Amino acid sequence: MLLAAAWLKRNAPGDAARAEEAARDAFGLATSEQQQAAALADEAKALTAQGKTDGARAPLRDALRRDSWNHFAFERLAMLLLKAEKIDGLLALTDELMAAGIDHAQLLALRAVALGRAGQHRAARELLGLDRFLRQEIIAPPSGWDSLAAFNAALAAELSADPAIRFGRHGTASVSSWRIDSLAAGGRPLAQLINTSIAAAVEEHVSTLPRTGHPWTEARPRAALLRSWSVMTEDDGYERWHMHPAGWLSGVYYVQVPEPVTAGSGPAGCLSLGLSDTLAGAADGQAVGEHHVRPAPGLLTLFPSHCYHRTYPHRAPGRRISVAFDLVADEG
């Protein structure tokens, strides 16, 4: 499996064929259906890289028969169906998996895309659930702080000086951005305080949600962990359309926001939630609609992890600093 990934990563001439061979070897060495499914998903990825998209569908369907929860197999098959304009096939696939109790964020997200592409815009909006489940609030100062503004200024200084900060993080949706990939490690006392405040707000929000009646609330994990990171952008930084496949509930806390963004009226600097127009198409994405969130220091925003979202460059002097996070199922 590691060898297949390495060939695909290098992507020199002939490497995709070598990755296909390595994935088939991995399948022969696998000792469980989950491992077999993972090998089949990589074989399909290698076949797709060679332009053999028709041949990639069979191993992906086989992977899902062996492990219906395999996110990679589902995503790769769904993307092949979207690219081939087989929207009915994607809806049927999601129907089949949901009937079997599969309800991860990747499935809900791509089902919403398929509904949008099929012209079922109201159903796509209902599945995203933003009208019901999007929450925004200015939080209280964390314990030990009388002023939220003073806390945010100190947190911004702590994050900006963090030795783990990196620019241009490969493999993320961030463009021209600085990132700290994990805030859970020690040595970040103020980050730990904001994590505690976020966790309390998340717990309170989750306690108000209905237990049934929507696929997202039905997918609520029995136990969960909070995973957080920080994103910092200058005037030209932004986030591409994406969703959080490992999460159930996601969100962002704004530490520092340039004043022209907070006081503005256009999309500059805003968070937008809806459907990726790259996947759904511009017309269907607009028909489903976007929710815009105007950042402000101290604002906490929560939303389902299967909702696609992006940000716009803020085009203003100063840096926007945020703490993003996911609530992920605790498998332990």
Side-chain angles (χ1 to χ4, degrees):
M1 292 289 287
L2 287 170
L3 183 58
W7 288 129
L8 288 168
K9 178 70 173 178
R10 192 176 75 163
N11 199 29
D15 281 353
R18 297 183 183 98
E20 178 189 351
E21 182 180 358
R24 287 178 175 169
D25 288 344
F27 180 88
L29 294 168
T31 58
S32 70
E33 288 199 316
Q34 287 75 22
Q35 290 179 352
Q36 290 173 341
L40 287 165
D42 273 6
E43 178 188 344
K45 185 176 182 180
L47 287 166
T48 302
Q50 297 173 72
K52 302 176 182 179
T53 54
D54 289 341
R57 291 178 194 166
L60 289 172
R61 291 190 182 278
D62 191 7
L64 288 173
R65 281 193 292 270
R66 296 169 188 273
D67 180 9
S68 299
W69 283 96
N70 189 297
H71 293 219
F72 298 111
F74 169 75
E75 180 191 15
R76 289 165 191 167
L77 181 54
M79 291 302 183
L80 290 176
L81 293 170
L82 279 175
K83 187 174 182 180
E85 296 291 335
K86 296 182 180 295
I87 308 305
D88 289 344
L90 177 51
L91 287 172
L93 175 64
T94 58
D95 282 339
E96 175 187 338
L97 291 172
M98 291 176 74
I102 311 302
D103 51 15
H104 54 71
Q106 191 74 266
L107 186 149
L108 298 182
L110 287 169
R111 180 172 177 82
V113 169
L115 289 168
R117 288 273 292 269
Q120 300 181 46
H121 302 136
R122 181 176 177 179
R125 282 193 294 273
E126 290 176 350
L127 182 54
L128 292 175
L130 290 167
D131 291 334
R132 299 171 60 186
F133 306 127
L134 175 64
R135 175 168 174 166
Q136 303 174 67
E137 63 175 313
I138 299 293
I139 68 167
S143 177
W145 291 79
D146 296 327
S147 164
L148 187 59
F151 171 78
N152 282 335
L155 177 57
E158 177 181 283
L159 294 173
S160 297
D162 196 294
I165 192 172
R166 292 192 284 176
F167 184 78
R169 179 74 166 85
H170 180 71
T172 71
S174 299
V175 177
S176 298
S177 301
W178 299 87
R179 292 177 63 99
I180 302 171
D181 289 336
S182 175
L183 297 183
R188 302 185 178 102
L190 301 183
Q192 299 310 310
L193 278 179
I194 196 59
N195 275 347
T196 299
S197 293
I198 289 169
V202 166
E203 186 173 1
E204 192 277 329
H205 175 56
V206 171
S207 72
T208 68
L209 296 173
R211 289 282 183 171
T212 58
H214 190 278
W216 178 65
T217 56
E218 296 277 0
R220 173 180 170 178
R222 295 179 180 177
L225 301 171
L226 183 74
R227 293 180 179 169
S228 61
W229 59 98
S230 180
V231 180
M232 310 175 201
T233 59
E234 307 293 346
D235 64 329
D236 60 343
Y238 65 97
E239 298 281 308
R240 302 183 189 93
W241 278 115
H242 67 290
M243 47 77 64
H244 295 183
W248 175 71
L249 179 142
S250 298
V252 58
Y253 174 75
Y254 293 100
V255 181
Q256 177 178 299
V257 182
E259 193 276 336
V261 174
T262 302
S265 58
C270 288
L271 169 69
S272 178
L273 300 106
L275 284 184
S276 165
D277 53 19
T278 303
L279 298 177
D284 287 316
Q286 290 174 8
V288 172
E290 290 186 41
H291 287 250
H292 291 288
V293 173
R294 181 161 301 283
L299 177 67
L300 178 69
T301 300
L302 306 175
F303 53 89
S305 296
H306 67 276
C307 294
Y308 286 92
H309 51 286
R310 63 176 171 178
T311 64
Y312 292 87
H314 61 258
R315 306 298 186 193
R319 177 179 280 186
R320 185 181 65 180
I321 302 176
S322 63
V323 171
F325 52 90
D326 286 334
L327 197 68
V328 301
D330 182 1
E331 305 292 350

